[in-house]
């Protein structure tokens, strides 16, 4: 079987032909140009798909995009970075332009589907994906299916509060998981600590412009033995651990797959998280617990979007 996976971001439209066994076999990237308006953007997505399907038998289309998606996976509400999109039945709009059935899903949920169909999540019946990117998102897979909640909006893992006196992020309150583990928020936290340690090589490298500091810089410094970088990543890992304890106690799902740029810190982040989990999670929940990294990288969204089509139309 072949399906089209589309990853709609604020910068680029990425689309791929995905084979259910082989994965991505053809793909294209085009600028989003969201500022041109909703209808022209939908036309661009439709044109991109129509160019791809000329030489393939396609069962349907899956589209991953930001925003809150309805339970029937047709309509998105107020997606960020897409001007003019208030409430849009994007599935119908794409079907009208391609004559193929379409389902849509939140981009973090799509990453979970990518893991389920093609990545580390294939080995689990139920798992929680946490995406540590610019923000923090996630998806809940329960018995091989995406858990959507009552209105379709479950899985906003980054907005769970772990310290209501904590820092601000994109959430409506302080101290959410995203405020500690979203890429730019982690960098802000790191910049504050580095500023207090002017003798550290990280201070010399970034003090002129802390905006350049990325989590990957902390990971590379930690690998070189920089103790401050190790400490910063460990503190972030502790917060990841507390977040995971909340998710496990709530959902009784014990397998966790972590993706996104911040996850490249690997065991500098994961081992402190496991330490907190071993220490503070209710003991019966520790049985069968696993925390692993997803290695699909940038392909996860396209593969997951196609997985949405496989689930819906096969």
């Amino acid at each position: 079987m072949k399906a089209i996976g589309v990853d709609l971001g604020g910068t680029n439209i990425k689309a791929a032909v995905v084979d259910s066994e082989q994965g991505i076999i053809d793909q294209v990237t085009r600028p989003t140009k969201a500022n041109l308006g909703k209808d022209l953007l939908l036309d661009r997505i439709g044109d991109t798909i129509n160019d791809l399907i000329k030489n393939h038998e396609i069962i349907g289309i899956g589209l991953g995009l930001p925003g809150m998606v309805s339970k029937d996976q047709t309509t998105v509400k107020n997606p960020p970075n897409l001007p003019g999109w208030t409430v849009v039945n994007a599935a119908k709009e794409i079907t009208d332009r391609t004559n193929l059935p379409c389902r849509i899903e939140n981009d973090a949920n799509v990453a979970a589907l990518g893991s389920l169909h093609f990545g580390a999540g294939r080995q689990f019946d139920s798992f929680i994906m946490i995406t540590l990117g610019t923000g923090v998102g996630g998806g809940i897979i329960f018995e091989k299916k995406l858990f959507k909640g009552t209105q379709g909006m479950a899985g906003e893992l980054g907005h769970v509060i772990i310290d209501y006196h904590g820092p601000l992020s994109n959430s409506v309150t302080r101290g959410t998981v995203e405020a500690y583990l979203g890429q730019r928020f982690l960098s802000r936290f790191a910049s504050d600590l580095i500023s207090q340690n002017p003798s550290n090589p990280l201070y010399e490298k970034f003090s002129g412009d802390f905006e350049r500091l990325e989590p990957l810089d902390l990971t590379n410094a930690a690998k070189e033995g920089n103790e401050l970088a190790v400490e910063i990543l460990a503190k972030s890992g502790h917060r990841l651990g507390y977040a995971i304890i909340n998710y496990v106690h709530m959902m009784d799902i014990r397998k966790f797959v972590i993706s996104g740029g911040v996850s490249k810190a690997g065991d500098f982040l994961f081992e402190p998280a496991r330490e907190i989990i071993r220490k503070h999670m209710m003991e019966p929940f520790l049985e069968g617990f696993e925390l692993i990294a997803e290695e699909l990288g940038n392909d996860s969204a396209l593969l997951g979007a196609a997985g949405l089509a496989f689930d819906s139309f096969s």
Side-chain angles (χ1 to χ4, degrees), residues 14-279:
K14 298 178 183 178
V17 179
V18 179
D19 184 278
S20 59
E21 300 295 331
Q22 300 175 54
I24 294 172
I25 57 176
D26 194 6
Q27 65 178 304
V28 65
T29 300
R30 291 179 176 170
T32 301
K33 297 186 178 180
N35 60 309
L36 296 179
K38 176 190 64 143
D39 291 334
L40 283 176
L41 175 52
L42 288 164
D43 288 343
R44 289 176 64 75
I45 298 169
D47 291 344
T48 301
I49 293 168
N50 287 326
D51 287 345
L52 273 176
I53 64 179
K54 291 175 181 176
N55 300 316
H56 302 280
E57 287 288 328
I58 301 296
I59 64 165
I61 301 162
L63 167 62
L65 73 173
M68 303 289 193
V69 172
S70 61
K71 194 169 185 178
D72 65 358
Q73 298 176 320
T74 62
T75 303
V76 64
K77 294 182 179 181
N78 304 108
N81 303 318
L82 298 178
W85 291 53
T86 51
V87 180
V88 180
N89 188 327
K92 181 180 184 301
E93 296 281 1
I94 298 303
T95 293
D96 288 346
R97 288 164 170 80
T98 62
N99 294 316
L100 285 168
C102 177
R103 290 291 181 270
I104 71 171
E105 191 48 80
N106 170 267
D107 45 13
N109 281 344
V110 157
L113 289 171
S115 185
L116 172 67
H117 284 278
F118 294 98
R122 283 179 296 180
Q123 62 189 296
F124 305 133
D125 287 336
S126 300
F127 68 92
I128 294 177
M129 161 78 81
I130 304 175
T131 56
L132 304 178
T134 304
V136 175
I140 302 166
I141 301 296
F142 179 65
E143 295 182 350
K144 297 287 188 183
K145 296 195 178 299
L146 184 66
F147 178 77
K148 291 278 289 172
T150 61
Q151 301 295 315
M153 301 175 190
E156 289 292 338
L157 304 179
H159 298 297
V160 169
I161 301 162
I162 55 176
D163 177 7
Y164 59 82
H165 293 303
L168 286 167
S169 65
N170 290 332
S171 301
V172 295
T173 189
R174 292 179 173 272
T176 60
V177 175
E178 182 171 288
Y180 293 106
L181 289 159
Q183 182 168 313
R184 65 178 175 274
F185 305 111
L186 194 162
S187 294
R188 182 180 64 192
F189 167 68
S191 299
D192 289 343
L193 289 184
I194 293 167
S195 296
Q196 299 169 34
N197 290 270
S199 62
N200 192 280
L202 286 167
Y203 181 88
E204 182 178 344
K205 185 173 182 179
F206 292 104
S207 61
D209 183 10
F210 275 119
E211 292 294 319
R212 295 185 299 112
L213 178 66
E214 302 278 350
L216 184 59
D217 296 309
L218 299 172
T219 300
N220 290 336
K223 289 177 179 177
E224 295 167 1
N226 187 305
E227 292 184 4
L228 180 59
V230 172
E231 177 189 347
I232 291 167
L233 291 172
K235 287 181 176 180
S236 300
H238 291 157
R239 282 149 178 159
L240 176 62
Y242 284 116
I244 287 172
I245 289 170
N246 285 332
Y247 305 146
V248 174
H249 286 173
M250 186 184 307
M251 296 295 298
D252 189 22
I253 294 176
R254 306 175 189 199
K255 312 297 185 184
F256 283 78
V257 180
I258 315 297
S259 70
V262 176
S263 72
K264 290 181 170 58
D267 280 342
F268 290 114
L269 188 72
F270 296 164
E271 272 306 307
R274 293 185 184 110
E275 174 191 340
I276 290 297
I277 289 161
R278 287 191 294 266
K279 185 175 180 181

